[in-house]
Structure formats: structure tokens, C-alpha cells
Amino acid sequence: MVNILNVCRMLFKPRQNERYNVRSGTFVIVSPGTDGERKVQIVDISMGGAAFIYEGHPEELEASGVLNLLVDKTNLEKVNFDVVSDIPVPGSTQPLETFRRRGIKFKWMGVLDKAELSKFINKVRSFGK
């Protein structure tokens, strides 16, 4: 039933921005968390948002709302965001270690910030130009 709803949503409400998978080993810094900054692995990204995997509980990143992009020659250090989803990673084999996938939506950015984000996406995406 849930799969049918997801298919209907994708057909009638497509994404505004194309989403790209990123190369393995692409990280960003999320700050602040309960323990200060935290390095997390990004899974996919678009001009509108991203998703990343982290280990822990949602409360540990409750106050987070800023990403620092970790790529050479990118002038976009801080990207503000809102959390859209935060779910356990399906098929996690370690019950004691909780891995979660957090989906985020970027907040408003100026023209120069959007250009820098576009450069970042082109550097880290796993396919394309």
C-alpha cells in the first residue's frame, strides 16, 4: 500500500530539482549538534536539499541547521536548512548502532550561494558532466 502511494506521489508531484547520487566518501559537517560539529556522509543532493546518513539518535542533531561543505575551492561554507525527514536506515544489521537517514531542505540562498552550491554538486555527484 505504501509503495502505491509513493508511486502516485512521484507521478503527480515530481521533484522541483533534479537529485544526484554522490560519490562514496563525500562528507559534510553538520553543526551544531549536542557534541558540537559532526562529520556525516551525504547520500544524495539537489539544488533544493540533500540527504545524509549519521549514527545516533535524532535528539543528538536536534539543534542542527547548518551544513559546511567539504570540497576544495568551494566558497560556500554554511548552508542553512530545515529537516524534512529523519528515519532509520532500512536493513541496518547493527541493532545497538542506530544509523539514520536525514532529509533536509535548503533555506533561501542568494544568487552567488546558488552558484557555489551548483559547483559543489558538480564536483561530488557520481555521474554526469
Side-chain angles (χ1 to χ4, degrees), residues 4-114:
I4 293 170
L5 295 176
N6 286 338
V7 170
C8 290
R9 183 177 51 88
M10 288 176 10
L11 290 173
F12 297 110
K13 189 178 178 186
R15 291 188 182 273
Q16 291 180 340
N17 301 292
E18 188 173 355
R19 189 162 289 255
Y20 301 98
N21 291 325
V22 297
R23 285 185 231 133
S24 179
T26 303
F27 293 91
V28 294
I29 300 289
V30 178
S31 61
T34 54
D35 299 328
E37 295 181 333
R38 179 181 262 186
K39 187 175 178 181
V40 297
Q41 184 169 358
I42 198 164
V43 178
D44 58 44
I45 192 167
S46 74
M47 289 299 289
F52 58 83
I53 302 289
Y54 69 97
E55 183 180 354
H57 301 285
E59 301 82 29
E60 295 172 12
L61 291 178
E62 194 64 37
S64 66
V66 177
L67 281 181
N68 293 330
L69 307 178
L70 299 176
V71 169
D72 294 339
K73 299 179 184 173
T74 299
N75 295 324
L76 186 60
E77 292 182 7
K78 296 185 180 198
V79 179
N80 294 311
F81 66 85
D82 290 323
V83 176
V84 177
S85 65
D86 193 315
I87 60 172
V89 173
S92 182
T93 59
Q94 302 293 330
L96 298 177
E97 298 177 6
T98 307
F99 287 96
R100 302 188 65 82
R101 183 181 196 276
R102 179 169 279 196
I104 59 170
K105 179 179 177 183
F106 298 136
K107 289 186 178 180
W108 183 88
M109 287 187 245
V111 175
L112 296 176
D113 289 342
K114 285 184 181 181

